[in-house]
Every structure is written in structure tokens, then in C-alpha cells.
Amino acid sequence: MPYKCGGEIPRLAGDRVKLRPLALNDALLMFECWSDPEVRLYSDLPEMQDAAAAAEMIQILNSLSLTEEGLRWGIEAEDGTLIGSCGMNWWQLEGAYRGEIGCELARPYWGKGYMREAVKVILGYSFDMMGLNRLEALTDPRNVRAGRLFESLGFKLEGMLRQYRHTDSGFVDANLHALLRDEWEASDRS
């Protein structure tokens, strides 16, 4: 039977991070993350004026699970602090068995391995529980840090999609990275 989340965003955990549904009381912390110019630089996050806009975004992201269109988790560090979000932007089972991962992390937590661990948890869930065969990640070609993250997890750069996204600054290219189930299974997953 094909995977269905049924509107439920499962709680997942790694060694140092916990992935949990975002809640409306996370709006202020997520506003701080999502409105940071350095975090927004390479993302397609909409500009947010205040925590109310972040609360609205949380409601939109959570509603994607109700329609089987996406799953978004808040990322908690080991001390329980919410430090970002990650998830499946979308997935398609019939005919494709593939999905797309998206993520962002508050700047003070960059370079500490939190996002790598969070994405690894999602990879395991996506391949083992959802039954996906292919996971994709789109990154801005200028975002070297994101490219290295996905490469470190075994993703292969498959090419550049020219003027693929429209952002506040106009059309931008996107690098397409992909990881296949058999590559994941053959890896040491560390």
C-alpha cells in the first residue's frame, strides 16, 4: 500500500537532533530564522515582516500533510532549542517514487553538523518508511555550503536548471542533486 501520512507529521530523532511538527508558538523563532538575510539569500522563502507571517507560514507548511503534498519538521538541537526546519517539499509515489527535500537552518547553528544529521534522518524515513526510490534537492549554484551538504550525504549533482526559480531578485538557476535508494542502501549512512 502506498505511503500516506494522513495529516500526521511523525516525530523523528537522530543522535543530536529531534524532528517534530512545527507549532504556532514556534513562530517567533522561525521568524528570526526565515527573515535572516543570510538564510534567505539562497532560498525562495517569502519576505516576512513579523512573527505573524511566520505563524501563517507554519500553518501552510503543516497543512501540506493533510493533502499528502509535503511534510515539514522543526529541527530541535539537543538542548530543545528550535534551530530551523526541513522536510519533504513534495513527493510522488505512483509512477515515480520520488520526492524533494528542502531545509533551512538558523545562522548560529551553521557548520555544526545539525542539518546534515536532520537530512540523514529524513533520508532514512523517505527510503525506509515512505518507499521512495529517488530524492532530489535543488540548491542555488552560488550556495556552495548546501551543495557540499548534499554531496556529503551521497547526492550526485545531475545538472543545472536554468532560471528555474523566481525570487525577490528575479529568476535564478538551480542545481539538481539526487540520491537513489540503492546508493543510500550501499552507503555506510554515516
Side-chain angles (χ1 to χ4, degrees):
M1 172 182 253
Y3 172 83
K4 296 258 188 231
C5 69
E8 181 151 340
I9 301 167
R11 292 178 177 272
L12 306 174
D15 293 333
R16 297 187 311 145
V17 300
K18 291 181 182 169
L19 305 184
R20 62 159 177 85
L22 287 165
L24 290 180
N25 63 1
D26 295 323
L28 182 58
L29 285 172
M30 290 311 303
F31 170 68
E32 290 171 3
C33 177
W34 288 334
S35 64
D36 182 324
E38 292 293 313
V39 173
R40 289 190 70 239
L41 184 62
Y42 300 122
S43 74
D44 54 0
L45 287 166
E47 189 169 345
M48 293 183 195
Q49 300 302 317
D50 53 28
E56 197 173 310
M57 178 62 78
I58 288 169
Q59 288 178 311
I60 291 167
L61 293 171
N62 285 342
S63 72
L64 295 175
S65 67
L66 298 171
T67 56
E68 304 291 332
E69 294 179 68
L71 287 170
R72 195 67 170 194
W73 289 274
I75 304 168
E76 282 186 2
E78 58 267 84
D79 66 359
T81 303
L82 185 69
I83 61 173
S85 79
C86 60
M88 299 295 296
N89 292 342
W90 60 266
W91 67 83
Q92 177 186 1
L93 293 176
E94 291 184 33
Y97 294 92
R98 64 188 171 100
E100 179 188 298
I101 292 177
C103 55
E104 66 281 327
L105 192 66
R107 195 170 1 151
Y109 300 93
W110 289 3
K112 298 180 183 349
Y114 289 112
M115 188 56 76
R116 185 176 195 283
E117 183 175 338
V119 172
K120 274 180 51 179
V121 170
I122 293 174
L123 294 176
Y125 187 80
S126 299
F127 289 128
D128 298 338
M129 300 302 292
M130 296 178 75
L132 297 180
N133 182 62
R134 175 185 169 91
L135 287 170
E136 299 172 352
L138 296 171
T139 64
D140 186 304
R142 299 167 296 173
N143 190 348
V144 175
R145 181 184 294 276
R148 282 195 316 247
L149 165 70
F150 289 109
E151 182 180 295
S152 77
L153 290 163
F155 283 72
K156 307 285 187 252
L157 176 61
E158 293 187 338
M160 181 191 304
L161 304 171
R162 298 177 308 137
Q163 295 187 7
Y164 188 74
R165 291 183 171 151
H166 188 268
T167 67
D168 294 343
S169 60
F171 289 99
V172 296
D173 298 338
N175 280 343
L176 174 62
H177 308 265
L179 178 66
L180 305 177
R181 172 194 291 276
D182 60 356
E183 294 167 340
W184 169 252
E185 290 173 347
S187 73
D188 65 6
R189 302 185 189 193
S190 61

